[in-house]
Amino acid sequence: MTQALNQTLLARATAKLGPQASLALGLLILAVLLAMPLLHLLPADNALHVSAYGLTLVGKILCYAIVALALDLVWGYAGLLSLGHGLFFALGGYAMGMYLMRQSAGDGLPAFMSFLAWSELPWYWYGTSNFLWALCLVVLAPGLLALVFGFFAFRSRIKGVYFSIMTQALTFAGMLLFFRNETGFGGNNGFTNFRTILGFDITAPGTRAFLFFCTVLLLVGSLALGFALARSKFGRVLTALRDAENRLMFCGYDPRGYKLFIWVLSAVLCGLAGALYVPQVGIINPSEMSPTNSIEAAIWVALGGRGTLIGPLLGAGLVNGMKSWFTVAFPEYWLFALGALFIVITLFLPKGVIGLLRKEKDQ
């Protein structure tokens, strides 16, 4: 009896330690991320110096983690599997890229326009030399597109696999549009050769460190917003919408407004992530709209565990870390590895890595 009592007390202590340990681990990771831009400013011969490549790689993965979190809001909580979030990410990136290209061109036309013998800026480029207007475009471009698409899709009660196919078709159509030179977005090459942002050299260590710091803040803010929504009445309605939409409608709720709000919010978060991605990586082109990228984002969420918010961040880090290694060591095998990973998740990890960890904890 004493042994059984001790085991019970130990189990309770472990259960209490679980959230505390998770919080401590999260704070440790956050401290490391916040320290990285400071370590990047150290001299290159310092043992603690973080290289520009390392800072850019982690910054890129953090931008992808924001996309994974945004997708989890609509898939994990509202049950809407989007295969087109790459479009919203790219639109935010292009909006920021337009500002950066204007900064590089000065009073003239962007280089690709001069090469194509354009005589003046298209009307939709007006005002893009202003940073505040560029920020507005970062939010408005993906937000308005998501609003229009979502309004008609949810009004027609399109859901399930049909919704997924339509979002994939949307991003594919966007990719084909941006590939055309006459659209005024650089065609196949997109935007590159950025020089300054707000008057600062975009490749300077201080600028890189600041952009990385902004990415960390956006990730933390998005995560806090996600948890606040998930724990609110709105979040409970979303999960009810995911699990039993007809029953929710019977209770007097109109699911269209809830779907549209979380759909637009998710698109805006992707646009903000794209806007921070472009100045750190230094390029944006139509390949970011490829349906393959949106499918990869779904794999990030599935691997980490959808409906958990933390899980998709973990999935984005794991998959993109693997991708960085594979594309250097075995570039021709990456797509095969990605397909195998998807099969393994489907067969053995239906609740993702977070679900596996919780299962082991319960045992």
Side-chain angles (χ1 to χ4, degrees), residues 82-91 141-151 153 162-178 263 267 286 288-291 294:
S82 169
L83 297 180
H85 263 45
L87 175 61
F88 304 133
F89 178 78
L91 286 177
L144 287 178
L145 178 61
L147 180 64
V148 173
F149 174 84
F151 175 80
Y162 301 104
F163 181 82
S164 301
I165 292 174
M166 288 186 64
T167 56
Q168 190 174 50
L170 181 67
T171 189
F172 189 69
M175 182 183 68
L176 294 180
L177 178 65
F178 275 69
W263 172 251
E288 293 294 339
M289 301 181 188
S290 170
S294 297

Side-chain angles (χ1 to χ4, degrees), residues 15 20 29 50 56 59 90 111-112 169 240 250 264 270 275 289 318 336:
Q20 296 176 358
I29 294 174
V50 175
T56 300
F112 73 90
F250 181 77
V264 174
C270 286
M289 301 181 188
L318 290 174
F336 295 101

Side-chain angles (χ1 to χ4, degrees), residues 31-49:
V32 171
L33 291 176
L34 291 176
M36 287 188 66
L38 299 177
L39 297 177
H40 175 65
L41 298 177
L42 295 175
D45 57 352
N46 192 298
L48 297 177
H49 172 74

Side-chain angles (χ1 to χ4, degrees), residues 10 17 55 81 107 121 123 133 157 161 174 179-182 210 212 254 286 290 315-316 338 344 346 362:
L10 179 61
L17 183 62
L55 195 71
L81 173 55
D107 296 330
L121 285 171
W123 63 269
W133 176 240
R157 297 191 177 179
V161 66
F179 263 125
R180 302 175 66 90
N181 288 326
E182 59 267 27
F210 180 75
F212 185 93
D254 185 354
S290 170
L338 186 64
V344 170
T346 304
D362 292 339

